[in-house]
């Protein structure tokens, strides 16, 4: 099924992730599930494991399934009969791809966090890629010599991650300046990051 062939009325969407724990890859699953409007019937599947986000979505009354492995994914999708399967993350195994291939084809989209090729063979199934920034999209085109023809420009698109509304102080920069002795003429660049000194960007983030 192509993206353009989908009716907006009562569209069944499955968000599919390897796990449903804390993390930037899993956060959009939570935000999309909670914010897609009444035109969409949304289900969530964790392939390998659940986690905090999956528990939260279940507590909120959303349809949520944890399989424990790729086995049974095809049967679960046949039961739901989605119009769209939205893949999240790059940890898709060849077994997962085989399960997806055995299902009568819904439209398949994938959120690409980093702009690297997926080695599981998923590309042949994907109708549309969504890069989370224009930079990762441009890098993907450059690194892998993707011709900028109309078909590819439609297939490889940019869609920023959704952000949940949070309460923040109006102007936190004075606190950072005071804490780290940053003078008023020096720009302050911040990054939202988990508090884990051994993970990714945390060592250069301000707590």
């Amino acid at each position: 099924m192509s993206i353009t062939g989908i009716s907006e009325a009562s569209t069944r969407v499955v968000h599919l992730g390897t796990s449903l724990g804390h993390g930037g890859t899993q956060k959009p699953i939570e935000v999309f599930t909670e914010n897609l409007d009444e035109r969409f019937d949304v289900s969530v599947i964790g392939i390998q494991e659940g986690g905090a986000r999956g528990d939260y979505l279940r507590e909120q009354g959303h349809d949520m399934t944890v399989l424990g492995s790729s086995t049974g994914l095809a049967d679960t999708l046949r039961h739901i009969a989605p119009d769209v399967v939205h893949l999240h993350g790059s940890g898709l195994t060849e077994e997962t791809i085989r399960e997806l291939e055995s299902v009568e084809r819904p439209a398949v989209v994938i959120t690409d966090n980093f702009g690297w090729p997926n080695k599981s063979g998923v590309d042949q199934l994907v109708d549309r890629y969504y890069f989370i920034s224009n930079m990762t999209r441009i890098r993907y085109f450059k690194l892998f010599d993707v011709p900028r023809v109309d078909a590819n420009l439609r297939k490889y698109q940019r869609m920023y991650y959704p952000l949940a509304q949070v309460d923040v102080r109006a102007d936190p920069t004075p606190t950072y300046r005071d804490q780290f002795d940053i003078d008023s003429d020096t720009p302050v660049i911040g990054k939202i990051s988990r508090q884990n000194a051994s993970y990714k960007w945390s060592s250069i983030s301000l707590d």
Side-chain angles (χ1 to χ4, degrees), residues 39-135:
R39 295 174 300 163
F40 300 92
D41 183 7
V42 182
S43 300
V44 176
I45 298 175
I47 299 172
Q48 297 294 338
E49 58 186 1
R53 299 200 192 282
D55 293 342
Y56 170 78
L57 290 172
R58 181 180 281 121
E59 290 168 2
Q60 298 303 307
H62 296 288
D63 182 36
M64 213 281 296
T65 302
V66 176
L67 298 176
S69 72
S70 296
T71 304
L73 174 59
D75 288 339
T76 302
L77 290 174
R78 289 190 191 100
H79 174 71
I80 298 172
D83 300 297
V84 179
V85 174
H86 189 157
L87 308 175
H88 297 263
S90 58
L92 300 171
T93 64
E94 292 182 1
E95 182 183 0
T96 299
I97 301 308
R98 287 196 296 271
E99 291 280 309
L100 286 170
E101 287 176 329
S102 68
V103 178
E104 184 176 351
R105 287 273 280 118
V108 178
V109 302
I110 187 168
T111 295
D112 190 307
N113 299 44
F114 304 110
W116 295 111
N118 194 305
K119 297 180 180 179
S120 63
V122 71
D123 188 70
Q124 61 189 344
L125 292 176
V126 173
D127 297 291
R128 187 159 295 169
Y129 276 79
Y130 290 117
F131 295 93
I132 65 172
S133 73
N134 203 40
M135 182 274 290

Side-chain angles (χ1 to χ4, degrees), residues 165-190:
Q165 281 189 310
V166 294
D167 293 327
V168 295
R169 293 191 314 173
D171 186 12
T173 49
T175 300
Y176 292 142
R177 291 189 188 280
D178 293 341
Q179 183 177 354
F180 296 98
D181 195 25
I182 302 172
D183 67 73
S184 60
D185 295 327
T186 301
V188 174
I189 301 174

Side-chain angles (χ1 to χ4, degrees), residues 140-159:
Y140 189 91
F141 275 93
K142 285 182 175 292
L143 287 178
F144 306 108
D145 295 321
V146 178
R148 296 199 179 195
V149 296
D150 287 347
N152 286 335
L153 294 175
R154 287 192 298 270
K155 180 173 182 176
Y156 301 97
Q157 297 193 11
R158 180 197 67 210
M159 182 172 67

